[in-house]
Amino acid sequence: NVCRYIKMELASHRGMGQRSQFLRRGTTTPTTRRSVGKKIVASAHINSGRNAVDQIAGTLTEKMFERMDAASSADRGTSGGAGGATTLQSFQRLDAAWSDLRNRTVYGLPPKTVKVTKDALPAVPGLDVIVGGGTLGVFLAMALQARGLRTAIIERGALRGRDQDWNISREELYALVDAGVVSKEQADDSITIEFNPIKAGFHGSEDIVTRDVLNLGVSPKTLIDHVRENYENAGGLVVESAALEKIWVHPNGVQARVRNQSQEKTLALASKLFIDCMGNQSPIVRQVRHGQKPDGV
């Protein structure tokens, strides 16, 4: 639909430019000025055509994102795909962040989020595992909690899934059921769309047809809501609006210090292990890979 829309817009503007040129060339002018006039009109037509295309290019992206947002809101079965941006503003922020990541020059010493000390914690940690980053970490935390471990999640924002779908196969989705993360009914409830078969084409080669490969659209919001409910019912602790400030590694465990952004309070949690699920924006990753560009995307 987007491709068809672009073609219609371009055809419309081309038609306007051609009619304008035809009318100008048809105007009666003295013979001595006609050839010069044609050249001027032709040049003006080319420039106006370029401007029209530039204007379309500037607005088509906006219109495409507007249509995707409208379709996503109106149709629960629309799959937005994985890893993309659902608004023009978020797309522009993503592009700017990627450009900065590729081109930045890092100066100074790496951050010291993680520090090691020889001093032992005064008591055995009450938690077995702290998971940093809740959007993906809640799946791991729930799996560990289901196996009898005492866990906690720290999340910088609110622990909830976005509206844009994730893509997954049914076999992969049901692996969460086998791990005790969600029930089969909860997994099925999170499915928004299913499509089979899928055809992939590459230039110079034959099309490849697959079945049951990334053929489900899953609502992260619905799925994570189910996982969080199960996690808290199983005794898991969720700490939201908590930005990680420091991790102290002791001989008998770790202590994570977080700042509650709404209450401006510092909270300390101790556990035997800290698992980082915060992604490429993790302060731990920044410390480990200080100044290094990504290995790949």
Side-chain angles (χ1 to χ4, degrees):
N1 289 336
V2 172
C3 291
R4 185 157 55 246
Y5 175 75
I6 293 173
K7 290 178 181 178
M8 291 173 61
E9 287 287 316
L10 290 174
S12 173
H13 280 265
R14 289 194 188 103
M16 290 172 60
Q18 290 169 355
R19 286 194 296 272
S20 174
Q21 183 183 17
F22 175 77
L23 291 174
R24 292 188 184 188
R25 286 187 176 181
T27 304
T28 55
T29 55
T31 304
T32 55
R33 297 172 56 191
R34 185 170 297 168
S35 60
V36 176
K38 284 184 178 181
K39 292 180 181 179
I40 294 174
V41 170
S43 176
H45 170 64
I46 292 172
N47 291 332
S48 65
R50 286 173 179 168
N51 292 336
V53 172
D54 289 341
Q55 291 174 1
I56 295 172
T59 60
L60 279 179
T61 302
E62 297 176 9
K63 292 179 180 178
M64 285 188 289
F65 273 99
E66 288 173 359
R67 285 180 171 236
M68 286 192 294
D69 289 339
S72 178
S73 301
D75 184 3
R76 183 70 172 84
T78 298
S79 178
T86 55
T87 66
L88 177 62
Q89 291 75 21
S90 58
F91 180 77
Q92 290 171 331
R93 287 195 299 269
L94 182 66
D95 186 61
W98 171 237
S99 178
D100 174 66
L101 195 61
R102 291 182 61 191
N103 302 312
R104 74 171 61 169
T105 301
V106 178
Y107 300 96
L109 298 174
K112 294 294 184 181
T113 303
V114 180
K115 293 188 175 183
V116 180
T117 177
K118 296 180 180 179
D119 299 329
L121 289 169
V124 177
L127 295 169
D128 294 306
V129 181
I130 297 174
V131 177
T135 304
L136 294 178
V138 66
F139 296 94
L140 175 61
M142 179 59 216
L144 296 176
Q145 193 76 22
R147 283 160 174 73
L149 297 176
R150 296 162 297 177
T151 68
I153 299 170
I154 57 173
E155 168 59 41
R156 182 176 59 180
L159 179 51
R160 61 170 179 263
R162 62 185 183 185
D163 293 326
Q164 185 188 23
D165 285 356
W166 285 338
N167 292 116
I168 195 172
S169 67
R170 190 174 294 273
E171 181 181 359
E172 292 168 324
L173 180 62
Y174 284 169
L176 298 176
V177 178
D178 297 335
V181 175
V182 290
S183 66
K184 184 177 181 300
E185 292 73 22
Q186 290 173 327
D188 290 339
D189 182 55
S190 68
I191 298 174
T192 61
I193 190 172
E194 181 173 4
F195 34 89
N196 257 328
I198 300 173
K199 182 169 69 174
F202 298 90
H203 180 68
S205 65
E206 296 182 359
D207 289 341
I208 301 172
V209 179
T210 64
R211 294 190 64 86
D212 303 322
V213 177
L214 298 179
N215 63 305
L216 297 183
V218 172
S219 166
K221 183 179 185 304
T222 302
L223 184 59
I224 289 177
D225 283 349
H226 284 316
V227 178
R228 176 173 182 168
E229 179 184 8
N230 297 342
Y231 178 68
E232 292 182 319
N233 288 340
L237 174 64
V238 176
V239 183
E240 296 177 292
S241 300
L244 180 65
E245 289 190 335
K246 196 76 65 179
I247 294 179
W248 291 92
V249 180
H250 300 264
N252 58 338
V254 296
Q255 183 183 99
R257 296 182 183 178
V258 298
R259 174 167 289 277
N260 186 296
Q261 300 181 29
S262 59
Q263 300 177 1
E264 291 297 322
K265 293 182 179 179
T266 300
L267 176 67
L269 296 173
S271 67
K272 298 175 184 177
L273 179 67
F274 185 98
I275 299 179
D276 182 8
C277 294
M278 293 179 283
N280 61 3
Q281 296 300 318
S282 164
I284 300 174
V285 172
R286 291 198 190 103
Q287 179 173 334
V288 173
R289 295 183 58 85
H290 180 65
Q292 297 182 45
K293 294 183 179 180
D295 297 325
V297 177

